[in-house]
Amino acid sequence: RTEVIGNIKILRKYIDWTPFFSTWMLKGKYPEIFNNEIVGLEAKKLFDDANTLLDRLEKSNELQAKGVFQLFKAHSTEDDSVKIYAEDGSLMEEFHFLRQQGKKGNNLPNLCLSDFVSPENQPDSDYFGMFAVTAGLGIEPLVKEFEQQHDDYNAILIKAIADRLAEAFAEYLHEQIRKKEWGYQSHETFSNEELIKEKYQGIRPAPGYPACPDHTEKAKIFNLLQPDKIGITLTESFAMYPQAAVSGFYFSNVESKYFTTGKIGKDQIADYAKRKKTSILEIEKWLAPVLAYEPN
């Protein structure tokens, strides 16, 4: 388990600005959005204001970024799970994933995240990582300062910037792990645009998102990494606090890629509930958006 501190001067270079503009209902890709006849001027003003605030944050240390990560020995199982082990070989935890069930074209497999970890019948060890980062430590006094000045614009802007910095931190940390911790891309030299386009080897899917729609698996990440020690907590609904936080898994397999599970049938839900040792009703509650059927 390794704790890391994010430097805002470095992290701001990794910001993906396109989603930032989307937050403000401005459609367009950065930096081309500045040339848009309808929203270009407004986007440029917003961008300049955000960078003025970033200049302040870079100098003042009012907003802090912290993270934690760990790589574990791991093997996948035949039932779409991934087991992780301590250095002495003892089982530490088992993560459960879902497989695509929709019909696909010829020679196109139905993917599951466990496919990207070596099977347990293989003699060679594989590794599986996880992380949690935030760039929202100290945000409450900043928001309160702006609200007391009746400056709703900057109160919203600081939250949007913190969100972008958290995503930037996740991008930066993943790069460092590929280069130094795992070392499988030690000579990687991608531009920020190439990083945004995910030109590198490896993925970092998050619980609750298309490839892993079950938010409850996040609890295992928190049990193992203890992000509460750096100020990130998990609510009863499995949301992270501060809101400007990101957590997820690391897969290094050259074949690993993002995908959407799509709708999940009752047969897999029953199997998944059995693997997680919980009720089908509980699983249906958390996976309601991806169910391929109407639960009873």
Side-chain angles (χ1 to χ4, degrees):
R1 178 183 178 280
T2 303
E3 293 184 10
V4 288
I5 296 175
N7 183 318
I8 289 178
K9 183 176 182 179
I10 294 173
L11 297 185
R12 65 188 296 183
K13 298 175 184 176
Y14 288 77
I15 289 177
D16 179 1
W17 287 101
T18 298
F20 171 79
F21 294 117
S22 297
T23 302
W24 297 81
M25 309 302 287
L26 300 177
K27 292 185 179 180
K29 188 177 179 182
Y30 170 82
E32 291 85 356
I33 191 172
F34 299 143
N35 300 321
N36 186 295
E37 291 182 2
I38 300 172
V39 301
L41 288 175
E42 189 178 353
K44 185 63 169 67
K45 181 185 183 302
L46 187 62
F47 179 75
D48 291 342
D49 290 343
N51 277 282
T52 297
L53 201 45
L54 278 164
D55 290 340
R56 168 181 167 175
L57 297 174
E58 187 180 314
K59 295 171 184 175
S60 67
N61 199 37
E62 294 168 285
L63 194 70
Q64 295 98 46
K66 292 183 180 180
V68 59
F69 72 91
Q70 190 166 351
L71 305 179
F72 298 87
K73 284 186 176 180
H75 280 304
S76 60
T77 68
E78 290 184 354
D79 61 0
D80 299 339
S81 297
V82 172
K83 292 179 178 179
I84 62 169
Y85 304 90
E87 287 303 315
D88 64 5
S90 60
L91 179 66
M92 293 184 70
E93 185 57 272
E94 187 169 0
F95 287 86
H96 307 294
F97 297 111
L98 293 159
R99 185 170 297 279
Q100 295 172 315
Q101 288 186 282
K103 291 183 179 179
K104 303 183 75 173
N106 291 337
N107 301 318
L108 290 175
N110 287 66
L111 298 172
C112 178
L113 287 173
S114 62
D115 295 341
F116 308 137
V117 178
S118 178
E120 55 187 343
N121 58 5
Q122 298 292 323
D124 296 333
S125 292
D126 200 352
Y127 284 83
F128 170 73
M130 59 202 72
F131 71 96
V133 298
T134 182
L137 300 173
I139 196 171
E140 290 87 353
L142 285 163
V143 173
K144 187 175 181 181
E145 173 193 326
F146 292 128
E147 288 177 343
Q148 286 176 339
Q149 296 169 356
H150 306 290
D151 186 353
D152 292 338
Y153 173 65
N154 272 305
I156 297 170
L157 187 60
I158 187 66
K159 293 176 185 176
I161 288 172
D163 287 344
R164 286 295 92 210
L165 283 171
E167 294 288 351
F169 196 179
E171 189 73 82
Y172 169 76
L173 184 59
H174 193 188
E175 180 188 62
Q176 296 305 302
I177 285 167
R178 292 191 304 272
K179 285 182 174 181
K180 297 177 181 178
E181 298 295 329
W182 249 323
Y184 64 83
Q185 287 202 300
S186 57
H187 301 295
E188 177 186 305
T189 55
F190 291 119
S191 66
N192 193 40
E193 185 177 1
E194 288 172 321
L195 290 174
I196 291 167
K197 291 180 179 178
E198 297 156 359
K199 297 288 187 181
Y200 47 80
Q201 176 186 326
I203 57 173
R204 55 172 191 279
Y209 285 80
C212 177
D214 183 5
H215 279 283
T216 68
E217 289 293 291
K218 203 181 296 173
K220 298 174 185 177
I221 295 176
F222 273 68
N223 287 337
L224 290 161
L225 297 187
Q226 300 179 306
D228 56 296
K229 291 185 177 180
I230 58 168
I232 311 173
T233 56
L234 201 59
T235 69
E236 288 183 2
S237 60
F238 297 98
M240 288 178 288
Y241 184 84
Q243 187 175 333
V246 184
S247 65
F249 306 111
Y250 288 134
F251 293 87
S252 63
N253 191 308
V254 68
E255 301 293 334
S256 62
K257 60 182 178 181
Y258 295 101
F259 60 89
T260 300
T261 60
K263 296 297 183 180
I264 303 299
K266 198 163 190 174
D267 55 340
Q268 187 174 183
I269 292 297
D271 172 74
Y272 191 66
K274 185 178 180 181
R275 283 190 282 147
K276 284 176 70 75
K277 296 180 174 62
T278 188
S279 69
I280 291 176
L281 191 66
E282 181 72 6
I283 296 300
E284 288 176 336
K285 174 182 132 183
W286 290 107
L287 292 178
V290 296
L291 294 181
Y293 62 95
E294 284 292 330
N296 295 331

